[in-house]
């Protein structure tokens, strides 16, 4: 049990997030600079350039949002547009099979929940380590819950 992460712990695709946030800043700076340097543009056209950059940034920030927060009582999964709180007992299995785009949680209600906060895209080894850590936490918590109920 000593190899379990200390709770609370947050898992997120750090490298992917860094790339997305850097791209968002770069896009805003470049498009705003171009809008200001093009003298033939009207103020409304300049504003449309900046608004387009902000719209692109909003999409990139949305893509950078996913994370998983594990604490003593359960897990909070934050995906692109939704957030779901799960008790440890609801998580039956944590899986990341070869070729999977992200981790999946098999839940006690018979459904499977994608966890975009752990994805092997840019940092495969990190995602595998995070998936193993989350799996170990879920297994340790389910054993602890069974002991408390006995």
């Amino acid at each position: 049990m000593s190899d379990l992460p200390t709770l609370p712990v947050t898992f997120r695709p750090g490298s992917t997030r860094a790339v997305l946030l850097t791209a968002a800043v770069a896009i805003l700076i470049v498009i705003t600079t171009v809008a200001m340097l093009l003298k033939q543009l009207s103020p409304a056209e300049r504003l449309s350039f900046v608004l387009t950059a902000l719209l692109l940034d909003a999409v990139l920030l949305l893509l950078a949002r996913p994370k998983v927060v594990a604490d003593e009582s359960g897990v909070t999964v934050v995906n692109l547009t939704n957030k779901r709180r799960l008790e440890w007992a609801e998580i039956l299995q944590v899986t990341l099979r070869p070729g999977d785009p992200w981790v999946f949680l098999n839940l006690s209600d018979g459904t499977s929940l994608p966890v975009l906060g752990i994805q092997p895209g840019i940092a495969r080894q990190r995602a595998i380590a995070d998936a193993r850590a989350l799996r170990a936490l879920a297994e340790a918590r389910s054993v602890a819950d069974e002991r408390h109920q006995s």
Side-chain angles (χ1 to χ4, degrees):
M1 288 234 186
S2 61
D3 59 341
L4 290 176
T6 304
L7 295 177
V9 62
T10 300
F11 302 103
R12 64 171 27 125
S15 299
T16 302
R17 184 175 164 85
V19 168
L20 290 168
L21 295 176
T22 301
V25 170
I27 285 171
L28 184 61
I29 291 170
V30 168
I31 292 179
T32 301
T33 302
V34 168
M36 296 307 139
L37 291 176
L38 293 174
K39 300 299 180 199
Q40 71 271 25
L41 296 181
S42 70
E45 289 170 325
R46 284 192 173 102
L47 180 61
S48 72
F49 268 66
V50 174
L51 291 175
T52 300
L54 291 172
L55 181 63
L56 290 171
D57 278 4
V59 170
L60 293 175
L61 293 175
L62 188 66
L63 292 172
R65 183 175 185 250
K67 66 180 177 178
V68 183
V69 180
D71 58 35
E72 292 293 336
S73 62
V75 174
T76 303
V77 176
V78 179
N79 285 332
L80 296 178
T81 59
N82 61 354
K83 179 178 175 179
R84 183 163 175 195
R85 178 73 184 165
L86 300 165
E87 300 299 319
W88 285 112
E90 294 178 81
I91 302 170
L92 301 179
Q93 188 178 30
V94 178
T95 62
L96 178 60
R97 297 176 306 247
D100 279 351
W102 40 70
V103 163
F104 288 90
L105 300 180
N106 293 329
L107 304 177
S108 59
D109 66 1
T111 63
S112 181
L113 178 67
V115 179
L116 280 64
I118 302 176
Q119 49 184 268
I122 294 175
R124 179 170 177 68
Q125 293 307 316
R126 171 65 187 258
I128 291 169
D130 287 351
R132 286 182 178 149
L134 184 58
R135 181 181 303 127
L137 284 168
E139 289 171 357
R141 294 293 174 212
S142 68
V143 168
D145 286 349
E146 287 174 8
R147 286 188 195 142
H148 283 99
Q149 292 174 0
S150 298

